[in-house]
Amino acid sequence: MTFQTMDQIRQVFASLPAAHADARAAAEARNGQLTKPPGALGRMEELALWYAAWHGQARPVLKRPQIIVFAGNHGVTAQGVSAFPADVTAQMVANFDAGGAAINQLADTFGAKLTVHALSLETPTADISLGPALSDDAFLEAFRAGWDAVDVTSDLVIVGEMGIGNTTAAAAMMMALYGGAATDWTGRGTGLDDAALRAKAAIVARAVEVNPTRDGLDVLRCLGGREIVAMAAAVLRARSERVPVILDGFICSAAAACLHAMAPAALDHAVAGHLSAEGAHGKVLEKIGKDPILSLGMRLGEGSGAAVALGVLKASIACHSGMSTFAEAGVSDG
């Protein structure tokens, strides 16, 4: 689709497809006959059933995962909200392209196709403490980039990000959606000291005050960034194509929360890959009703936590689809 207005995006939420109920039921029946005690694989069993429902097969495979990393720059960095300069965004994109980042190693390890999209790095968003981050046209351009980045032949999608200053944007987004104090949502990001953290929280509060919003798309446009908008678009595209998604950390979950605010069912195809060390991430996951697969103290971004969770999901699917049933194995089921 070529989105020309934000209302065209809003219309997508009214026609989201359901999961494959027949595949889920058949997968549940198969799971009950596998050579193990009921529930012995714990949450791995539910992950396999969730994946089967969205993949559309009772005995699914996971061979073509895609990891998409979006990069964008934020005007609010002029307020000193990050321990790193904005130039680092472009430098890290070069590192991704050269294969030297953590996400490159994880994509290789788990057999995922990695694509990287730098979104107008030479044109940061406007400073959200002064007004909206993006115009309607700039928002739609970023949204289309995220929507088009999804390979619809993939059987799973992970979205990651790189953007100095984007924890400030995400904190403001969550305060706008869910209320509370700025300090409830503001974390240290790349490693701020106490004084800088207090100043960052004040910027977050100011951004929410000067940017009134009416729905999740407004929150994305006024308080997000190009990479955050693109992440939300990619997750929504995957939903519209019934492609399962593993969510990454705080930034990714904030983007997804804007979709959830538009329609809770918009995230039915998604699981949370991990609980990050960014303090507000757990609050966001509670709001969108997602229980993280892993909790490893990660806070890198790039889609890295979700990529590690991909290994757990692949293990879950391998057990579900590859194990013999009691009848196949000639084992008594009691």
Side-chain angles (χ1 to χ4, degrees):
M1 294 180 65
T2 301
F3 296 100
Q4 300 299 326
T5 68
M6 292 181 68
D7 282 341
Q8 287 177 326
I9 300 171
R10 291 184 174 96
Q11 292 169 10
V12 174
F13 292 92
S15 57
L16 296 173
H20 300 273
D22 291 349
R24 169 80 190 210
E28 288 177 343
R30 173 176 171 76
N31 186 55
Q33 295 298 316
L34 296 178
T35 48
K36 60 176 179 57
L41 287 176
R43 192 176 175 195
M44 291 176 66
E45 297 182 22
E46 175 53 36
L47 287 171
L49 297 176
W50 161 81
Y51 181 81
W54 288 100
H55 190 65
Q57 295 180 355
R59 200 169 180 170
V61 295
L62 176 46
K63 293 184 176 180
R64 300 184 309 278
Q66 180 187 19
I67 300 174
I68 315 169
V69 177
F70 298 104
N73 274 325
H74 295 256
V76 74
T77 57
Q79 302 289 344
V81 296
S82 174
F84 288 86
D87 291 348
V88 170
T89 302
Q91 292 165 4
M92 280 303 300
V93 168
N95 194 29
F96 298 145
D97 290 339
I103 193 59
N104 298 96
Q105 319 320 312
L106 294 169
D108 288 346
T109 296
F110 296 115
K113 178 178 73 173
L114 174 64
T115 57
V116 180
H117 300 263
L119 304 175
S120 302
L121 297 186
E122 71 285 355
T123 309
T125 58
D127 183 345
I128 59 174
S129 69
L130 303 177
L134 295 164
S135 67
D136 282 2
D137 286 346
F139 172 89
L140 289 165
E141 182 180 15
F143 190 92
R144 289 191 293 263
W147 184 273
D148 292 342
V150 175
D151 180 351
V152 298
T153 68
S154 300
D155 45 28
L156 181 125
V157 167
I158 289 169
V159 290
E161 42 64 40
M162 178 63 217
I164 297 301
N166 62 14
T167 58
T168 301
M173 291 163 60
M174 296 303 90
M175 184 180 174
L177 279 184
Y178 300 125
T183 52
D184 295 336
W185 302 105
T186 307
R188 297 184 186 276
T190 50
L192 298 178
D193 61 22
D194 289 346
L197 179 61
R198 288 192 293 272
K200 180 179 175 180
I203 294 295
V204 167
R206 190 184 314 160
V208 175
E209 181 180 359
V210 302
N211 285 292
T213 55
R214 64 189 175 99
D215 65 13
L217 291 186
D218 277 347
V219 169
L220 277 169
R221 182 183 70 82
C222 293
L223 296 168
R226 288 182 177 87
E227 81 281 24
I228 300 176
V229 171
M231 293 172 84
V235 172
L236 186 60
R237 176 68 183 282
R239 177 69 176 81
S240 71
E241 302 286 349
R242 290 195 180 105
V243 177
V245 165
I246 303 179
L247 301 175
D248 193 42
F250 181 50
I251 311 301
C252 178
S253 298
C258 293
L259 304 178
H260 185 268
M262 298 295 294
L267 297 184
D268 285 356
H269 70 316
V271 293
H274 75 126
L275 175 65
S276 81
E278 187 72 11
H281 187 208
K283 298 184 183 74
V284 180
L285 294 182
E286 289 178 7
K287 293 292 186 180
I288 64 176
K290 302 296 180 185
D291 184 21
I293 296 171
L294 302 171
S295 180
L296 300 175
M298 299 175 69
R299 56 181 180 88
L300 177 60
E302 304 177 7
S304 55
V308 177
L310 172 59
V312 176
L313 180 59
K314 292 188 80 168
S316 303
I317 295 165
C319 288
H320 174 85
S321 296
M323 286 177 68
S324 298
T325 65
F326 284 103
E328 290 167 346
V331 175
S332 172
D333 62 1

Short mmCIF file of all heavy atoms in Angstrom, two decimals, residues 33-70:
data_model
loop_
_atom_site.label_atom_id
_atom_site.label_comp_id
_atom_site.label_asym_id
_atom_site.label_seq_id
_atom_site.Cartn_x
_atom_site.Cartn_y
_atom_site.Cartn_z
N GLN A 33 0.14 -35.30 22.00
CA GLN A 33 0.56 -36.66 21.69
C GLN A 33 2.07 -36.83 21.63
O GLN A 33 2.55 -37.95 21.37
CB GLN A 33 -0.05 -37.08 20.34
CG GLN A 33 -1.57 -37.16 20.36
CD GLN A 33 -2.07 -38.21 21.35
OE1 GLN A 33 -1.54 -39.31 21.42
NE2 GLN A 33 -3.07 -37.84 22.15
N LEU A 34 2.84 -35.77 21.88
CA LEU A 34 4.29 -35.87 21.77
C LEU A 34 4.88 -36.66 22.93
O LEU A 34 4.29 -36.73 24.03
CB LEU A 34 4.91 -34.47 21.71
CG LEU A 34 4.53 -33.63 20.49
CD1 LEU A 34 5.17 -32.25 20.57
CD2 LEU A 34 4.92 -34.33 19.19
N THR A 35 6.04 -37.24 22.71
CA THR A 35 6.66 -38.14 23.69
C THR A 35 7.30 -37.35 24.83
O THR A 35 8.53 -37.22 24.95
CB THR A 35 7.72 -39.02 23.01
OG1 THR A 35 8.57 -38.20 22.19
CG2 THR A 35 7.06 -40.08 22.15
N LYS A 36 6.44 -36.83 25.68
CA LYS A 36 6.84 -36.07 26.87
C LYS A 36 5.63 -35.98 27.79
O LYS A 36 4.47 -36.09 27.33
CB LYS A 36 7.29 -34.66 26.48
CG LYS A 36 6.21 -33.87 25.77
CD LYS A 36 6.60 -32.46 25.48
CE LYS A 36 5.47 -31.73 24.75
NZ LYS A 36 4.20 -31.74 25.48
N PRO A 37 5.84 -35.77 29.07
CA PRO A 37 4.70 -35.51 29.95
C PRO A 37 4.04 -34.19 29.56
O PRO A 37 4.71 -33.27 29.06
CB PRO A 37 5.34 -35.41 31.35
CG PRO A 37 6.65 -36.10 31.20
CD PRO A 37 7.11 -35.86 29.81
N PRO A 38 2.74 -34.05 29.79
CA PRO A 38 2.05 -32.80 29.45
C PRO A 38 2.70 -31.60 30.13
O PRO A 38 2.97 -31.61 31.34
CB PRO A 38 0.63 -33.02 29.99
CG PRO A 38 0.46 -34.51 29.98
CD PRO A 38 1.82 -35.06 30.33
N GLY A 39 3.01 -30.59 29.34
CA GLY A 39 3.60 -29.36 29.89
C GLY A 39 5.06 -29.45 30.25
O GLY A 39 5.61 -28.50 30.82
N ALA A 40 5.72 -30.55 29.92
CA ALA A 40 7.10 -30.75 30.37
C ALA A 40 8.09 -29.75 29.76
O ALA A 40 9.15 -29.49 30.33
CB ALA A 40 7.56 -32.17 30.06
N LEU A 41 7.76 -29.19 28.61
CA LEU A 41 8.64 -28.19 28.00
C LEU A 41 8.25 -26.77 28.36
O LEU A 41 8.77 -25.81 27.81
CB LEU A 41 8.64 -28.36 26.47
CG LEU A 41 9.40 -29.58 25.96
CD1 LEU A 41 9.25 -29.70 24.45
CD2 LEU A 41 10.87 -29.51 26.35
N GLY A 42 7.33 -26.65 29.32
CA GLY A 42 7.01 -25.34 29.85
C GLY A 42 6.52 -24.37 28.79
O GLY A 42 5.72 -24.72 27.92
N ARG A 43 7.04 -23.14 28.85
CA ARG A 43 6.57 -22.10 27.93
C ARG A 43 6.96 -22.40 26.48
O ARG A 43 6.36 -21.86 25.56
CB ARG A 43 7.11 -20.74 28.36
CG ARG A 43 6.42 -19.61 27.61
CD ARG A 43 6.84 -18.24 28.04
NE ARG A 43 6.23 -17.24 27.18
CZ ARG A 43 6.61 -15.98 27.12
NH1 ARG A 43 7.62 -15.56 27.89
NH2 ARG A 43 6.03 -15.13 26.31
N MET A 44 7.95 -23.23 26.28
CA MET A 44 8.32 -23.59 24.91
C MET A 44 7.13 -24.16 24.15
O MET A 44 6.97 -23.93 22.94
CB MET A 44 9.47 -24.58 24.91
CG MET A 44 10.80 -24.00 25.37
SD MET A 44 12.10 -25.24 25.45
CE MET A 44 12.27 -25.69 23.71
N GLU A 45 6.27 -24.87 24.84
CA GLU A 45 5.09 -25.45 24.19
C GLU A 45 4.14 -24.36 23.71
O GLU A 45 3.65 -24.40 22.58
CB GLU A 45 4.39 -26.42 25.13
CG GLU A 45 5.25 -27.61 25.51
CD GLU A 45 4.54 -28.62 26.40
OE1 GLU A 45 3.29 -28.63 26.39
OE2 GLU A 45 5.23 -29.39 27.11
N GLU A 46 3.89 -23.38 24.55
CA GLU A 46 2.98 -22.30 24.16
C GLU A 46 3.57 -21.47 23.03
O GLU A 46 2.84 -21.04 22.12
CB GLU A 46 2.67 -21.41 25.37
CG GLU A 46 1.83 -20.18 25.03
CD GLU A 46 0.54 -20.50 24.30
OE1 GLU A 46 -0.09 -21.55 24.59
OE2 GLU A 46 0.14 -19.71 23.42
N LEU A 47 4.88 -21.26 23.05
CA LEU A 47 5.52 -20.52 21.96
C LEU A 47 5.34 -21.25 20.63
O LEU A 47 5.06 -20.62 19.60
CB LEU A 47 7.01 -20.31 22.25
CG LEU A 47 7.35 -19.29 23.34
CD1 LEU A 47 8.83 -19.35 23.67
CD2 LEU A 47 6.96 -17.88 22.90
N ALA A 48 5.50 -22.54 20.65
CA ALA A 48 5.32 -23.32 19.42
C ALA A 48 3.88 -23.24 18.92
O ALA A 48 3.63 -23.12 17.72
CB ALA A 48 5.72 -24.77 19.65
N LEU A 49 2.92 -23.29 19.84
CA LEU A 49 1.52 -23.21 19.45
C LEU A 49 1.18 -21.83 18.90
O LEU A 49 0.44 -21.69 17.91
CB LEU A 49 0.62 -23.55 20.64
CG LEU A 49 0.75 -24.96 21.20
CD1 LEU A 49 -0.14 -25.12 22.43
CD2 LEU A 49 0.40 -26.01 20.15
N TRP A 50 1.69 -20.78 19.55
CA TRP A 50 1.49 -19.41 19.05
C TRP A 50 2.05 -19.27 17.64
O TRP A 50 1.37 -18.75 16.74
CB TRP A 50 2.18 -18.43 20.00
CG TRP A 50 2.43 -17.09 19.39
CD1 TRP A 50 1.53 -16.07 19.26
CD2 TRP A 50 3.66 -16.62 18.82
NE1 TRP A 50 2.12 -15.00 18.63
CE2 TRP A 50 3.42 -15.31 18.36
CE3 TRP A 50 4.93 -17.19 18.68
CZ2 TRP A 50 4.43 -14.55 17.74
CZ3 TRP A 50 5.93 -16.44 18.06
CH2 TRP A 50 5.68 -15.14 17.60
N TYR A 51 3.24 -19.78 17.44
CA TYR A 51 3.86 -19.67 16.12
C TYR A 51 3.07 -20.46 15.08
O TYR A 51 2.85 -19.98 13.95
CB TYR A 51 5.31 -20.15 16.17
CG TYR A 51 6.02 -20.04 14.85
CD1 TYR A 51 6.55 -18.83 14.42
CD2 TYR A 51 6.13 -21.16 14.01
CE1 TYR A 51 7.18 -18.72 13.20
CE2 TYR A 51 6.77 -21.05 12.78
CZ TYR A 51 7.28 -19.84 12.39
OH TYR A 51 7.90 -19.74 11.16
N ALA A 52 2.61 -21.65 15.43
CA ALA A 52 1.84 -22.47 14.51
C ALA A 52 0.57 -21.73 14.06
O ALA A 52 0.19 -21.78 12.88
CB ALA A 52 1.47 -23.80 15.15
N ALA A 53 -0.07 -21.04 15.00
CA ALA A 53 -1.30 -20.34 14.68
C ALA A 53 -1.09 -19.23 13.66
O ALA A 53 -1.92 -19.00 12.77
CB ALA A 53 -1.93 -19.77 15.95
N TRP A 54 0.02 -18.52 13.78
CA TRP A 54 0.27 -17.41 12.86
C TRP A 54 0.97 -17.88 11.59
O TRP A 54 0.78 -17.30 10.52
CB TRP A 54 1.06 -16.30 13.56
CG TRP A 54 0.17 -15.59 14.52
CD1 TRP A 54 0.10 -15.76 15.87
CD2 TRP A 54 -0.83 -14.63 14.20
NE1 TRP A 54 -0.89 -14.97 16.41
CE2 TRP A 54 -1.47 -14.26 15.39
CE3 TRP A 54 -1.25 -14.05 13.01
CZ2 TRP A 54 -2.51 -13.33 15.44
CZ3 TRP A 54 -2.29 -13.11 13.04
CH2 TRP A 54 -2.91 -12.76 14.24
N HIS A 55 1.76 -18.94 11.68
CA HIS A 55 2.42 -19.49 10.50
C HIS A 55 1.44 -20.27 9.63
O HIS A 55 1.62 -20.39 8.42
CB HIS A 55 3.58 -20.39 10.94
CG HIS A 55 4.48 -20.81 9.82
ND1 HIS A 55 5.25 -19.91 9.12
CD2 HIS A 55 4.75 -22.03 9.28
CE1 HIS A 55 5.96 -20.56 8.20
NE2 HIS A 55 5.67 -21.84 8.28
N GLY A 56 0.40 -20.81 10.28
CA GLY A 56 -0.64 -21.50 9.53
C GLY A 56 -0.39 -22.97 9.29
O GLY A 56 -1.02 -23.56 8.41
N GLN A 57 0.48 -23.58 10.10
CA GLN A 57 0.75 -25.01 9.95
C GLN A 57 0.79 -25.67 11.31
O GLN A 57 1.37 -25.12 12.26
CB GLN A 57 2.09 -25.24 9.24
CG GLN A 57 2.12 -24.75 7.79
CD GLN A 57 3.47 -25.00 7.14
OE1 GLN A 57 4.41 -25.45 7.77
NE2 GLN A 57 3.55 -24.70 5.85
N ALA A 58 0.21 -26.86 11.41
CA ALA A 58 0.21 -27.58 12.69
C ALA A 58 1.60 -28.08 13.06
O ALA A 58 1.90 -28.28 14.24
CB ALA A 58 -0.75 -28.77 12.61
N ARG A 59 2.44 -28.26 12.06
CA ARG A 59 3.80 -28.74 12.27
C ARG A 59 4.75 -27.75 11.57
O ARG A 59 5.34 -28.05 10.54
CB ARG A 59 3.94 -30.15 11.69
CG ARG A 59 5.10 -30.95 12.22
CD ARG A 59 4.95 -32.41 11.77
NE ARG A 59 6.04 -33.23 12.25
CZ ARG A 59 6.08 -34.55 12.17
NH1 ARG A 59 5.05 -35.21 11.62
NH2 ARG A 59 7.10 -35.24 12.63
N PRO A 60 4.87 -26.55 12.13
CA PRO A 60 5.52 -25.46 11.40
C PRO A 60 7.05 -25.58 11.39
O PRO A 60 7.64 -26.35 12.14
CB PRO A 60 5.12 -24.22 12.20
CG PRO A 60 4.96 -24.73 13.60
CD PRO A 60 4.38 -26.12 13.45
N VAL A 61 7.64 -24.80 10.50
CA VAL A 61 9.09 -24.67 10.43
C VAL A 61 9.43 -23.18 10.52
O VAL A 61 8.59 -22.32 10.24
CB VAL A 61 9.67 -25.26 9.13
CG1 VAL A 61 9.45 -26.77 9.08
CG2 VAL A 61 9.05 -24.59 7.91
N LEU A 62 10.67 -22.89 10.90
CA LEU A 62 11.14 -21.51 10.97
C LEU A 62 12.49 -21.46 10.27
O LEU A 62 13.52 -21.74 10.85
CB LEU A 62 11.24 -21.04 12.42
CG LEU A 62 11.81 -19.65 12.73
CD1 LEU A 62 11.22 -18.59 11.82
CD2 LEU A 62 11.59 -19.30 14.19
N LYS A 63 12.44 -21.12 8.99
CA LYS A 63 13.65 -21.16 8.17
C LYS A 63 14.04 -19.81 7.59
O LYS A 63 15.16 -19.65 7.13
CB LYS A 63 13.46 -22.16 7.02
CG LYS A 63 13.36 -23.61 7.46
CD LYS A 63 13.26 -24.53 6.25
CE LYS A 63 13.26 -25.99 6.68
NZ LYS A 63 13.15 -26.91 5.49
N ARG A 64 13.12 -18.84 7.58
CA ARG A 64 13.39 -17.57 6.90
C ARG A 64 13.09 -16.37 7.80
O ARG A 64 12.30 -15.50 7.46
CB ARG A 64 12.55 -17.47 5.63
CG ARG A 64 12.81 -18.57 4.61
CD ARG A 64 12.02 -18.34 3.31
NE ARG A 64 10.61 -18.11 3.58
CZ ARG A 64 9.71 -19.06 3.80
NH1 ARG A 64 10.08 -20.34 3.81
NH2 ARG A 64 8.45 -18.77 4.02
N PRO A 65 13.73 -16.28 8.98
CA PRO A 65 13.52 -15.10 9.82
C PRO A 65 14.21 -13.87 9.23
O PRO A 65 15.28 -13.98 8.62
CB PRO A 65 14.13 -15.50 11.16
CG PRO A 65 15.18 -16.50 10.80
CD PRO A 65 14.66 -17.25 9.60
N GLN A 66 13.59 -12.72 9.41
CA GLN A 66 14.16 -11.46 8.97
C GLN A 66 14.34 -10.53 10.16
O GLN A 66 13.43 -10.36 10.97
CB GLN A 66 13.24 -10.78 7.94
CG GLN A 66 13.78 -9.45 7.42
CD GLN A 66 12.79 -8.70 6.53
OE1 GLN A 66 11.60 -8.97 6.55
NE2 GLN A 66 13.29 -7.74 5.76
N ILE A 67 15.51 -9.93 10.26
CA ILE A 67 15.78 -8.88 11.25
C ILE A 67 15.96 -7.58 10.50
O ILE A 67 16.78 -7.48 9.59
CB ILE A 67 17.03 -9.20 12.09
CG1 ILE A 67 16.87 -10.52 12.85
CG2 ILE A 67 17.31 -8.05 13.07
CD1 ILE A 67 18.12 -10.96 13.58
N ILE A 68 15.17 -6.57 10.87
CA ILE A 68 15.24 -5.27 10.22
C ILE A 68 15.68 -4.24 11.26
O ILE A 68 15.04 -4.09 12.29
CB ILE A 68 13.88 -4.85 9.65
CG1 ILE A 68 13.19 -6.00 8.91
CG2 ILE A 68 14.03 -3.64 8.74
CD1 ILE A 68 11.74 -5.71 8.55
N VAL A 69 16.76 -3.54 10.97
CA VAL A 69 17.24 -2.48 11.85
C VAL A 69 17.02 -1.13 11.16
O VAL A 69 17.47 -0.92 10.03
CB VAL A 69 18.73 -2.65 12.19
CG1 VAL A 69 19.22 -1.49 13.07
CG2 VAL A 69 18.97 -3.98 12.91
N PHE A 70 16.31 -0.26 11.84
CA PHE A 70 16.07 1.10 11.35
C PHE A 70 16.91 2.08 12.16
O PHE A 70 17.02 1.94 13.38
CB PHE A 70 14.59 1.46 11.49
CG PHE A 70 13.67 0.59 10.70
CD1 PHE A 70 12.90 -0.39 11.33
CD2 PHE A 70 13.54 0.74 9.33
CE1 PHE A 70 12.03 -1.19 10.61
CE2 PHE A 70 12.68 -0.07 8.59
CZ PHE A 70 11.92 -1.03 9.23
#
